[in-house]
Amino acid sequence: MAFSPFDCDLSKLTTSQLVQLKDVAEGWYVEYKSALPSTRSIAKSISALANSYGGWLFFGIQESSAGDRKPGSVPGIPTADVAASEVLLRQAVAAHLSPAPYFELRSLRGPLSDMGLAEHHSVLVVQVPQSSQAPHVHSDGRIYRRVADESDPRPETDRHFLDLLFTRGKERRKRIRRKTSSILPKGMPVDGASLVEITFLPVPWGERLPSKAVGFEAFAKLMRGDTYESGGLPFDTFFSQHDGYVARQAKANNPARPVLTWKYDHDGTSHVVLPLSTYGGEGSVPQLRQWLRGYDQASNLTQLLTSEVLSSCSVIDLNMLHAVSWGVFRRLELLMEMGGLPFPMRMKIKLRGMGRRIPFLDVTRYGAFLEEYGVPIIHFDQASLPARGDFYEVGTDLADLSPEVNTGVRAAKTTGFICEALGLPLLEIFKSAEWFI
């Protein structure tokens, strides 16, 4: 953010630091409100900051009557009403702005005698970064922005400024498409490999950056971890790039082929490449029976393949996908903590090398699914999840669940997205929770 009246992040802001606002006037980056206005007015103020240069919105601070637009009294908002006020703020943005801009919210409790903030009263602080998703259109059909010497947002009518807003959003979409493209080196042979490539982007990407630099040694140490607590995905090869660091599982594999890879960018983005185990190539059913030896559901699959007169086939083994996904999310949580970059994140999944293959799960419901619906054969080679330019939201932890369970929920959802895309409908295959126990 271009301007901050404070010398720390919003997450570390304390009530005593409100005194730093005494000489800060309303203008391009700051707006004061003595109380919460209507939801339409709240949305107008937040969109104006997001469309302009970003800034700060304070609820519970009265503008001075001296005409200098600096804080006067600080009546605050009753602390008992803070939770409901926060809900109202979020509802206002969701209901009246399209698209909804990102913002962060913090309440600071009184008393603070230097500013006249009484006990049992609080100030709500809203930090709004400049948005690369602009323009954010209000439900009244207008686009608002901040003007330096005015307290209230102004509807924008200047065609040049509107064009700049639309260009900002267009350029952001282009950058995100490049950001979510494959990290595999050009020319790396991938023939025969089935790959899951996942990109995790901070929300909003390019506007919320890590508050702490992640050094190369710290990155390598984290990625070497083989314990349950660290995610259990040990990498063995590490190197730097112009925009971040890379970790690979290369020593027991052919390093010239796709292997388990994690690329961390200095802007907080993570890219993960997960090669899936495949069996068969164009192998025969008897060969497949040998490859799947030890799996309970192997006989059900090979019997159906024989009955359907499939002389050759290739299978993608999805049995480790949930465990690996759990490890990915646990490692992501630790990496974000190291960089001081909390959730939420957005996730894009890309599937490659999937065509003409059969997804395989060694659970009882898989066999029953095959008997009822037949053998699924994947009809695409590449796909993006979700489709088009959309993303999955990876939200903050649910307060009523332990950290371990929150990690498991994220992994289960991701596994479900991938399995369903590969021909195994989520609601049918996961009627039983046996696979996740």
Side-chain angles (χ1 to χ4, degrees):
M1 183 173 291
F3 169 80
S4 174
F6 308 108
D7 54 6
C8 68
D9 296 334
L10 178 66
S11 61
K12 299 178 182 177
L13 193 63
T14 62
T15 304
S16 61
Q17 289 172 286
L18 288 174
V19 298
Q20 298 177 31
L21 297 174
K22 283 186 174 182
D23 295 320
V24 178
E26 281 191 321
W28 288 111
Y29 305 104
V30 174
E31 182 174 355
Y32 299 118
K33 297 287 186 183
S34 60
L36 259 70
S38 67
T39 55
R40 296 174 67 88
S41 179
I42 292 171
K44 184 191 299 184
S45 295
I46 291 177
S47 68
L49 289 168
N51 285 332
S52 301
Y53 304 105
W56 301 76
L57 184 57
F58 299 91
F59 294 100
I61 297 181
Q62 175 71 52
E63 183 182 336
S64 171
S65 59
D68 57 6
R69 299 190 302 279
K70 295 179 180 179
S73 62
V74 183
I77 295 170
T79 299
D81 297 338
V82 164
S85 299
E86 292 178 350
V87 171
L88 184 67
L89 279 166
R90 299 189 188 283
Q91 290 177 341
V93 170
H96 293 291
L97 297 179
S98 180
Y102 175 81
F103 65 93
E104 294 184 18
L105 180 62
R106 186 172 178 82
S107 61
L108 302 176
R109 295 189 177 190
L112 181 61
S113 58
D114 288 347
M115 295 290 286
L117 179 62
E119 190 176 5
H120 305 306
H121 283 72
S122 300
V123 171
L124 282 180
V125 183
V126 182
Q127 184 183 22
V128 185
Q130 183 189 52
S131 176
S132 53
Q133 292 182 286
H136 299 277
V137 183
H138 196 276
S139 59
D140 63 10
R142 297 176 178 178
I143 297 172
Y144 291 93
R145 70 180 176 103
R146 295 290 301 173
V147 178
D149 58 351
E150 296 185 11
S151 296
D152 294 320
R154 176 193 293 181
E156 185 53 66
T157 58
D158 184 280
R159 179 65 190 181
H160 175 68
F161 185 81
L162 292 174
D163 286 343
L164 290 177
L165 288 179
F166 281 104
T167 299
R168 191 201 301 173
K170 184 177 180 181
E171 288 301 316
R172 173 188 179 272
R173 290 188 288 274
K174 286 183 179 179
R175 293 197 303 272
I176 287 182
R177 281 197 296 271
R178 290 195 295 267
K179 197 71 172 176
T180 57
S181 61
S182 176
I183 64 168
L184 295 177
K186 290 184 178 180
M188 176 175 281
V190 296
D191 295 341
S194 293
L195 305 175
V196 176
E197 299 184 49
I198 307 176
T199 302
F200 298 100
L201 297 172
V203 179
W205 177 72
E207 300 166 27
R208 192 167 64 100
L209 300 172
S211 61
K212 296 180 288 187
V214 176
F216 178 76
E217 288 188 8
F219 172 78
K221 181 179 180 181
L222 174 63
M223 290 296 165
R224 280 196 177 99
D226 59 358
T227 64
Y228 177 81
E229 291 75 13
S230 68
L233 295 177
F235 294 81
D236 51 46
T237 303
F238 313 92
F239 51 92
S240 61
Q241 291 193 166
H242 67 285
D243 56 352
Y245 311 124
V246 177
R248 305 185 79 213
Q249 276 190 359
K251 290 186 177 179
N253 301 287
N254 181 354
R257 300 279 299 175
V259 297
L260 180 62
T261 302
W262 193 303
K263 181 174 182 287
Y264 174 76
D265 295 345
H266 294 312
D267 65 6
T269 303
S270 279
H271 312 261
V272 185
V273 178
L274 305 176
L276 299 178
S277 296
T278 58
Y279 304 100
E282 293 299 325
S284 65
V285 173
Q287 287 175 317
L288 181 62
R289 188 177 294 113
Q290 289 298 315
W291 286 321
L292 295 179
R293 187 173 59 240
Y295 282 126
D296 293 338
Q297 297 301 315
S299 59
N300 286 336
L301 175 60
T302 54
Q303 287 174 12
L304 281 170
L305 293 177
T306 302
S307 66
E308 295 187 14
V309 198
L310 287 171
S311 59
S312 64
C313 54
S314 178
V315 168
I316 298 177
D317 187 346
L318 299 176
N319 288 290
M320 292 300 295
L321 182 58
H322 179 253
V324 173
S325 296
W326 189 94
V328 166
F329 277 101
R330 180 58 187 145
R331 188 63 54 83
L332 177 69
E333 291 159 4
L334 294 172
L335 190 56
M336 292 171 66
E337 182 181 343
M338 183 182 295
L341 186 65
F343 285 102
M345 299 283 277
R346 284 183 174 175
M347 177 175 68
K348 189 75 172 181
I349 303 172
K350 294 194 174 181
L351 307 176
R352 301 179 62 184
M354 302 293 171
R356 299 177 59 196
R357 290 183 168 166
I358 299 167
F360 176 71
L361 281 175
D362 194 36
V363 294
T364 303
R365 278 296 307 163
Y366 176 79
F369 177 84
L370 295 184
E371 292 177 2
E372 184 171 355
Y373 298 104
V375 178
I377 298 178
I378 302 169
H379 278 55
F380 62 85
D381 188 62
Q382 300 186 34
S384 293
L385 310 177
R388 302 180 297 280
D390 296 332
F391 290 83
Y392 295 118
E393 299 292 334
V394 183
T396 55
D397 286 352
L398 299 175
D400 55 341
L401 299 179
S402 69
E404 183 178 2
V405 173
N406 272 294
T407 305
V409 169
R410 291 174 179 135
K413 287 182 177 180
T414 301
T415 302
F417 295 147
I418 296 171
C419 285
E420 188 163 6
L422 296 180
L424 304 180
L426 184 70
L427 295 179
E428 285 297 321
I429 300 300
F430 300 149
K431 283 180 178 177
S432 167
E434 61 182 298
W435 192 32
F436 299 105
I437 296 176

